[in-house]
Amino acid sequence: MEKLISNFNQVQSLPEKYIFPLEKRPGKLPVPACKFVPIIDIDETAGENRAVIAQKILKASQEFGFFQVINHGVPEDLMKDTMRIFKEFFELPTEDKAIFYVENSRSNKNCKLYPSSIINATEDVHLWRDNLKLNCHPLEKCILDWPEKPTRYRQVVGSYATEVTKLVPRILELICVGLGLESGYFEDKLGEVTSLSVNHYPPCPDPSLALGLTKHCDPNLITILLQDDICGLQIFKDNEWIGVEPVPNAFVVNIGYQLQILSNNKLKSVEHRAVTNSRTTRTSAAFFFNPRDGIMIEPAKALINASNPPVFRAFRYQEFLRSYMTKNGNNDNALEQFKLQA
């Protein structure tokens, strides 16, 4: 438990094991704030508005690999309550968190609290974060292993998981419309929400030398991120890192590798990372949605023709995930093994 950053006692200087190599440091902060990551209102998705919104999502997914959605149907009070519960968990006494603490990433617990030193470590450099990972499917079983403290944790986070799970098919259906695919194309591809990853980034003595999360693309289908009002998420666009400004009551949505493959490269999974700051704790929570077990992943046949041949071969998601994990976050060649030869 002493490895948890949330248990550090006001460290005045950054420990050496958290200092990244020069070429991987975030450097001078802050980076330019990206005011252009599209914010899309999905409240009115009937009739003509549906096609307009679908095109906005398609364009954002092609240009940024990211967008934010508002008026999404998840109650504002529930979002705030959920974020409050997450923050309160990391403020609990050590003995209340100890039962979830693991140092083995292969643990089969449905709720795991990791120190930064065993997740995404790069060249023996540790991330400046603690991570709580909750298995979410099947929800009624997994929730029994979730924290009972703070009070109402299971009730609030369980309700939140249910609401977000309803949101994802709506977003995927709009992507269907934008791509010109038949209605419901993704319905048979989408599995349940598989996991929730809650990241806790305490104030860092020197944010220019450390990272909360290294650059990566998500291997899954789609990710729904809830973040507080502290800047920290950055995406890599036009050869520079730009910050994604938090928008009140919005979700950040990003395209995973599986959507890039299913769209035959029409959509893009974009590198992103998390930086720290020296003043305020930042909290974020990412829901990861994976393809359904057992289905074959391949470019949608409706998007394939003589001028747009398939870029990727067919495979199962578990094959992709094993390959992704062995590459240890190396995004440069994550897709190469699954591409067809020209």
Side-chain angles (χ1 to χ4, degrees):
M1 287 291 289
E2 69 278 359
K3 295 181 181 179
L4 291 175
I5 297 175
S6 52
N7 289 346
F8 286 9
N9 292 319
Q10 296 185 343
V11 178
Q12 298 300 313
S13 61
L14 190 66
E16 184 176 353
K17 64 183 178 181
Y18 293 93
I19 299 175
F20 272 73
L22 183 62
E23 69 279 5
K24 296 188 177 182
R25 296 174 189 172
K28 186 179 179 180
L29 298 171
V31 299
C34 181
K35 300 180 184 298
F36 306 106
V37 171
I39 301 168
I40 302 173
D41 186 336
I42 62 171
D43 186 32
E44 298 180 1
T45 54
E48 294 180 1
N49 283 336
R50 179 182 176 86
V52 171
I53 293 170
Q55 286 303 312
K56 287 181 179 179
I57 288 178
L58 181 66
K59 184 178 180 182
S61 301
Q62 293 171 326
E63 291 187 14
F64 294 90
F66 277 77
F67 53 93
Q68 300 201 56
V69 293
I70 58 174
N71 292 325
H72 39 64
V74 180
E76 176 183 334
D77 288 347
L78 179 59
M79 295 173 69
K80 291 179 177 178
D81 210 8
T82 301
M83 181 58 73
R84 188 181 306 114
I85 287 282
F86 289 149
K87 290 176 181 288
E88 288 176 0
F89 173 83
F90 285 101
E91 294 170 357
L92 289 172
T94 299
E95 57 269 23
D96 290 328
K97 295 182 287 188
I99 58 175
F100 304 107
Y101 182 80
V102 297
E103 290 198 11
N104 183 345
S105 60
R106 293 184 296 275
S107 168
N108 60 4
K109 285 186 175 182
N110 283 324
C111 181
K112 294 168 277 193
L113 177 60
Y114 294 101
S116 63
S117 56
I118 64 169
I119 301 178
N120 291 332
T122 305
E123 300 175 6
D124 296 324
V125 181
H126 300 168
L127 300 172
W128 192 262
R129 72 156 185 180
D130 295 330
N131 177 256
L132 179 68
K133 189 166 186 178
L134 302 147
N135 289 341
C136 299
H137 182 69
L139 183 61
E140 61 275 10
K141 176 183 177 181
C142 293
I143 201 171
L144 299 177
D145 297 321
W146 290 2
E148 293 185 274
K149 295 181 180 180
T151 306
R152 297 177 61 243
Y153 186 102
R154 295 179 180 179
Q155 176 188 342
V156 172
V157 179
S159 296
Y160 175 75
T162 299
E163 291 299 319
V164 176
T165 301
K166 295 176 185 175
L167 171 63
V168 172
R170 291 178 56 202
I171 294 174
L172 289 176
E173 183 64 15
L174 289 166
I175 290 175
C176 263
V177 174
L179 288 171
L181 297 173
E182 63 184 88
S183 177
Y185 177 80
F186 290 115
E187 187 173 337
D188 293 334
K189 307 288 189 292
L190 176 63
E192 300 292 336
V193 55
T194 56
S195 63
L196 168 61
S197 181
V198 186
N199 293 310
H200 176 78
Y201 307 103
C204 178
D206 192 340
S208 69
L209 303 179
L211 280 170
L213 196 56
T214 52
K215 69 174 183 177
H216 66 286
C217 293
D218 291 354
N220 54 305
L221 196 67
I222 194 168
T223 302
I224 308 295
L225 179 74
L226 173 67
Q227 57 177 344
D228 59 20
D229 57 358
I230 307 300
C231 293
L233 173 64
Q234 297 180 348
I235 64 174
F236 195 66
K237 178 173 171 56
D238 299 330
N239 294 313
E240 69 173 341
W241 289 101
I242 52 178
V244 180
E245 286 194 353
V247 174
N249 307 315
F251 286 112
V252 179
V253 182
N254 72 283
I255 303 300
Y257 273 140
Q258 304 312 300
L259 267 184
Q260 179 171 338
I261 292 164
L262 287 164
S263 71
N264 204 40
N265 264 352
K266 289 185 179 296
L267 310 180
K268 299 296 182 184
S269 187
V270 171
E271 286 185 331
H272 52 286
R273 68 182 185 183
V275 296
T276 63
N277 71 82
S278 60
R279 304 172 307 281
T280 311
T281 296
R282 176 175 177 263
T283 303
S284 68
F287 262 123
F288 300 109
F289 289 79
N290 292 343
R292 195 176 301 281
D293 285 346
I295 69 163
M296 297 300 294
I297 304 294
E298 60 184 329
K301 290 181 171 53
L303 302 178
I304 303 302
N305 53 47
S307 59
N308 291 291
V311 177
F312 303 98
R313 65 176 175 85
F315 59 88
R316 298 189 190 279
Y317 179 60
Q318 288 304 316
E319 179 190 353
F320 183 93
L321 198 58
R322 286 193 297 270
S323 174
Y324 177 91
M325 297 304 291
T326 58
K327 290 177 172 56
N328 197 28
N330 184 349
N331 297 304
D332 294 335
N333 60 4
L335 296 176
E336 290 303 314
Q337 179 181 337
F338 302 91
K339 286 184 177 179
L340 295 168
Q341 297 300 316

